[in-house]
Amino acid sequence: MSDADDDIEILSEPPPPRVEALTVAIARDGQAEERARTLAAEVPVSITYNGLAHAVMMASPIDVEDFVVGFSLTEQIVERAEEVEDIVIRPIALGLLAQATIPAHRQKALLENRRNLVGQTGCGICGIVELEQAVRRFGAIETKPLISGAAVFAALDALYPLQRLNRETGAVHAAAFVSPSGEILAVREDVGRHNALDKLIGYMARAGIPGESGFCLMTSRISFELVQKCLAARIPALAGISAPTSLAVRLSQEHRLTLIALARSDTFQIFSDPHALFRDPGDSSEGCFRVASPAR
């Protein structure tokens, strides 16, 4: 990766499309027939700060401004969305160049702790030199999360129709921010689950939506990076439809983040409940337990 974006060729072509069409052969009962298939686009997004290259992430070429702001916040390059003073998105060979402008003191700190990373699909740690940079520590969540079983089930029911890109392609993750009543307030999609969450966090920061006002719902497994991003955005509760990793659970418990996983229309499992939202406050036992939906 070049240190300066002056070396990158800017194209006059339009930005890459969000989807691409392909004709595929479908085999059924010993016969093959051709059908049109819509594929999700996946392109390199090169992020620069004040003209200096910082990261290349493989991502869906939509909501890129939200992505840059969210990435800048969750990677602790800036502390507030307003510190990303300007973003210019330009088409380059095979992808996009996202040129961000940040204050001089943020740039200085970034250079002092510089870590260039070349991410595979949404990978948030590729290229990190120091181990302690990979698993960062945050302040514990002291705010009682505004989440309930009814809200989780309501959000699960409402999410699929809002996943427009996934309905077209079946290939992307979604990150949603949910109100205490279960209403989905925002959704962002991407081929990478970390990117989808960065886009959501970036949108929330730009729109002035505080993380403490609801909870996050992910259509993916829960990795430790997703927990770290919620902690960075001060989102006190995270739910996902797939299982968590052991490190994600450990970080959630250490930082008092409420963690729900394996969420389905009729049940979900709770892996971290530090605020005793789903169990008796006097029950100090640790471990996973299950919550079932009431009869509908």
Side-chain angles (χ1 to χ4, degrees):
M1 181 190 301
S2 170
D3 281 347
D5 59 16
D6 292 341
D7 299 327
I8 300 176
E9 181 183 3
I10 306 299
L11 304 180
S12 59
E13 303 171 3
R18 56 196 284 277
V19 297
E20 298 181 25
L22 183 71
T23 299
V24 299
I26 299 178
R28 182 181 291 114
D29 298 328
Q31 302 292 324
E33 61 177 296
E34 291 189 345
R35 287 191 182 179
R37 176 78 190 185
T38 301
L39 304 180
E42 180 179 19
V43 305
V45 177
S46 176
I47 303 175
T48 70
Y49 292 100
N50 297 356
L52 295 179
H54 178 72
V56 177
M57 307 298 290
M58 301 304 297
S60 300
I62 55 174
D63 301 313
V64 180
E65 291 86 355
D66 289 341
F67 177 48
V68 173
V69 173
F71 178 88
S72 302
L73 289 167
T74 62
E75 290 297 307
Q76 299 179 306
I77 294 167
V78 299
E79 290 185 359
R80 304 184 312 278
E82 296 77 19
E83 291 183 306
V84 182
E85 298 168 346
D86 188 36
I87 304 171
V88 178
I89 309 298
R90 302 180 187 276
I92 57 175
L94 302 179
L96 293 170
L97 171 64
Q99 299 170 300
T101 302
I102 58 176
H105 70 285
R106 295 296 181 199
Q107 178 77 5
K108 182 180 178 181
L110 180 62
L111 291 174
E112 289 174 353
N113 287 302
R114 184 153 183 182
R115 56 190 182 108
N116 287 326
L117 29 121
V118 178
Q120 298 180 7
T121 303
C123 176
I125 65 168
C126 299
I128 293 177
V129 176
E130 301 293 338
L131 288 176
E132 54 266 29
Q133 287 183 302
V135 185
R136 300 190 301 273
R137 301 294 169 175
F138 298 87
I141 297 290
E142 301 300 341
T143 303
K144 186 175 182 178
L146 300 176
I147 186 173
S148 65
V152 172
F153 291 124
L156 286 169
D157 286 345
L159 181 55
Y160 180 72
L162 302 177
Q163 296 175 248
R164 296 182 178 89
L165 185 55
N166 192 60
R167 287 167 60 192
E168 288 183 64
T169 66
V172 299
H173 297 291
F177 190 68
V178 186
S179 77
S181 66
E183 178 187 2
I184 294 180
L185 303 178
V187 177
R188 289 295 182 268
E189 295 180 282
D190 198 278
V191 289
R193 61 188 182 276
H194 311 97
N195 298 340
L197 183 51
D198 274 336
K199 289 178 178 180
L200 178 69
I201 290 170
Y203 167 78
M204 291 170 58
R206 298 172 78 192
I209 302 173
E212 296 88 349
S213 63
F215 64 94
C216 178
L217 175 62
M218 298 290 306
T219 63
S220 67
R221 68 178 174 89
I222 303 298
S223 59
F224 83 94
E225 300 98 327
L226 300 185
V227 172
Q228 287 192 144
K229 290 179 185 296
C230 284
L231 289 170
R234 309 314 291 167
I235 298 174
L238 171 62
I241 67 171
S242 295
T245 65
S246 60
L247 183 53
V249 173
R250 188 157 63 249
L251 285 177
S252 297
Q253 293 174 345
E254 290 174 356
H255 291 83
R256 295 177 57 80
L257 180 137
T258 299
L259 181 63
I260 291 171
L262 295 165
R264 301 291 186 268
S265 61
D266 60 345
T267 186
F268 58 79
Q269 295 182 26
I270 304 167
F271 291 82
S272 175
D273 185 26
H275 303 275
L277 301 175
F278 298 96
R279 71 172 93 194
D280 188 322
D283 182 1
S284 60
S285 62
E286 295 183 357
C288 169
F289 58 97
R290 177 177 176 271
V291 171
S293 171
R296 301 189 180 191

